[in-house]
Amino acid sequence: MFTPAPPLKTNPSQRRQLTKLVHSGWTPQRVARRARIVFLASEGRPNHAIARQLGITRPTVILWRNRFERLGVTGLLKDAQRPGRKKQLAPELIRQIVDETMRTKPKAATHWSTRTMAERHKVSHMTVKRIWRQYGLKPHLLERFKLSNDAKFVEKVQDVVGLYLNPPERALVLSADEKTQVQALERTQPILPLRPGIPERQTHDYERHGTLTLFAALNMLDGKVIGECHRRHRGKEFILFLRRIDAETPTDLDLHLIVDNYGIHKSPPVKRWLAKHPRFHLHFTPTGSSWLNMIERWFGLISEKRIRRGSFTSICDLLKAIKEYLATWNQAPRKFIWTKSADMIIRKVNRCKEALVTPH
């Protein structure tokens, strides 16, 4: 039970003012309600009874009783001052946080966190987070890159990208490579199936049953893939793969193969075979620029969708899975479309090289 509050003390002048506020048609409703609270409180009505009668809460009644006791009738006419917007950070402080985020590192750490930066500058970590978001800074993320040191980088980029964007007439452009060391890994325990709220689970330990090399060539015209597997990765196997391509493509078309600089692609046996098959033309990507070969994107898909989470009891089991994926893909192939021009790529690489020599 609440202890009844004592009657609110009012003088005749205040009561006249309260009566006018309650009965005047010009009084805002919220002000009239406050006046009624004080009027009823001055008659000795308990706070909970006033709240029930006016359809408001007891804390509201107490609020306006206290306001009247401090400020009189004037305190009922308008709301109390509320705090304004938070004080803006000095531009110098913002600039300092941004510069230190990009150019320095904390002691015994590789990158700043919102809390370590906030502690350094005596601000909240949310303040640092807002500044980083405004300037697009993400110190917790790391991306890897590799710049080619190929002396013929520009020439090779223009050649390969030219094949993608402007393929020659009466010819097929094939993006070809080998996915080596594809392992037949068998998990030591059965894979636990997906359940509501629980992802599929597999043990971290496994048994090895050998490896395969997947040779593949992506047809840039329709997205179909010519592929085959071998136990070894030599010029001999590459020639077998070239023969497979020769047999599965129209004989009246030239074949432009985009390949990397791996040694078997330039070995003497391969060169002799190519000399006897003049419709084959090899185009080499720059050294360290496998991202320029579109077949790498397809290798990523087969790894993600069929190999990485698989459990294979033998090399034959792995081979069967790869052939099944190839057959399914070629039933409804998806084209890979290159969009960046050679000039755009070269400009971006040059900017990266400039950034590497810029002092931090």
Side-chain angles (χ1 to χ4, degrees):
M1 296 293 294
F2 296 109
T3 301
L8 195 60
K9 295 181 180 180
T10 58
N11 58 43
S13 173
Q14 290 174 328
R15 291 184 65 82
R16 286 195 298 271
Q17 289 178 293
L18 292 171
T19 301
K20 183 177 181 181
L21 290 174
V22 170
H23 296 291
S24 173
W26 298 98
T27 304
Q29 183 178 0
R30 64 181 186 279
V31 177
R33 183 185 297 113
R34 299 165 188 171
R36 290 192 185 95
I37 292 172
V38 174
F39 201 96
L40 294 172
S42 68
E43 294 178 347
R45 298 287 296 277
N47 292 336
H48 64 87
I50 297 173
R52 185 168 57 250
Q53 179 177 341
L54 299 181
I56 56 179
T57 63
R58 183 172 174 272
T60 301
V61 174
I62 296 173
L63 168 69
W64 292 107
R65 281 184 62 124
N66 295 338
R67 183 78 61 81
F68 179 81
E69 288 180 333
R70 294 197 317 270
L71 303 175
V73 176
T74 304
L76 307 179
L77 300 180
K78 58 183 179 180
D79 295 336
Q81 292 288 337
R82 289 180 170 82
R85 294 182 61 186
K86 293 182 179 180
K87 185 178 179 180
Q88 297 292 324
L89 292 176
E92 295 79 10
L93 177 59
I94 296 176
R95 184 164 52 251
Q96 188 175 3
I97 290 175
V98 171
D99 287 344
E100 290 185 3
T101 302
M102 294 190 298
R103 302 179 185 277
T104 67
K105 295 180 180 180
K107 185 177 180 180
T110 59
H111 61 279
W112 290 101
S113 69
T114 56
R115 284 177 168 77
T116 54
M117 183 61 74
E119 183 179 357
R120 174 173 174 79
H121 290 281
K122 309 304 179 185
V123 295
S124 71
H125 74 278
M126 291 303 297
T127 297
V128 176
K129 186 175 182 179
R130 285 193 294 271
I131 293 172
W132 285 357
R133 185 186 300 118
Q134 179 183 356
Y135 285 86
L137 299 175
K138 300 177 181 179
H140 62 289
L141 295 183
L142 174 68
E143 293 184 353
R144 291 178 170 83
F145 74 96
K146 182 176 182 180
L147 291 178
S148 174
N149 57 4
D150 196 317
K152 297 183 178 180
F153 176 80
V154 173
E155 178 184 335
K156 290 181 178 180
V157 168
Q158 292 173 338
D159 179 36
V160 172
V161 174
L163 290 174
Y164 288 145
L165 299 181
N166 298 293
E169 295 183 359
R170 297 200 58 75
L172 290 179
V173 175
L174 303 172
S175 173
D177 202 1
E178 304 85 33
K179 183 174 179 61
T180 61
Q181 297 294 312
V182 183
Q183 300 187 74
L185 303 180
E186 180 185 9
R187 300 294 163 177
T188 58
Q189 299 291 333
I191 296 175
L192 299 180
L194 172 72
R195 289 183 293 170
I198 302 176
E200 180 180 271
R201 291 175 291 175
Q202 61 179 210
T203 60
H204 67 278
D205 52 337
Y206 49 79
E207 294 182 10
R208 301 175 187 269
H209 296 294
T211 62
L212 287 175
T213 293
L214 170 59
F215 291 76
L218 172 68
N219 189 332
M220 299 305 301
L221 181 64
D222 56 14
K224 289 187 177 181
V225 175
I226 301 171
E228 65 181 27
C229 293
H230 293 281
R231 295 296 298 270
R232 303 187 66 177
H233 182 208
R234 302 170 300 178
K236 178 180 178 181
E237 284 75 26
F238 185 57
I239 292 174
L240 291 176
F241 179 54
L242 293 178
R243 288 174 178 166
R244 176 76 174 270
I245 294 175
D246 193 30
E248 295 192 12
T249 54
T251 57
D252 60 333
L253 298 179
D254 281 351
L255 301 177
H256 294 265
L257 272 64
I258 299 170
V259 297
D260 62 20
N261 292 273
Y262 193 64
I264 65 170
H265 301 153
K266 303 176 181 180
S267 64
V270 171
K271 288 183 177 179
R272 287 194 296 268
W273 189 91
L274 292 173
K276 296 177 182 178
H277 298 78
R279 77 185 189 113
F280 279 80
H281 307 274
L282 265 57
H283 302 259
F284 297 95
T285 61
T287 304
S289 301
S290 59
W291 48 268
L292 202 56
N293 203 338
M294 293 284 274
I295 190 62
E296 298 293 342
R297 182 67 190 93
W298 187 84
F299 282 154
L301 288 177
I302 190 172
S303 295
E304 175 189 351
K305 296 181 179 296
R306 189 62 188 93
I307 297 174
R308 186 175 298 125
R309 286 171 56 172
S311 182
F312 308 102
T313 59
S314 65
I315 285 291
C316 292
D317 193 19
L318 174 61
L319 179 60
K320 179 182 177 182
I322 292 175
K323 287 183 175 180
E324 181 183 35
Y325 186 86
L326 272 167
T328 302
W329 174 272
N330 286 329
Q331 287 176 4
R334 192 179 74 194
K335 290 179 62 176
F336 291 82
I337 300 176
W338 190 272
T339 59
K340 301 294 184 182
S341 69
D343 290 342
M344 294 173 65
I345 295 171
I346 294 168
R347 283 198 300 269
K348 185 173 182 178
V349 170
N350 288 337
R351 287 197 299 270
C352 292
K353 290 182 177 179
E354 291 172 1
L356 287 177
V357 298
T358 302
H360 293 283

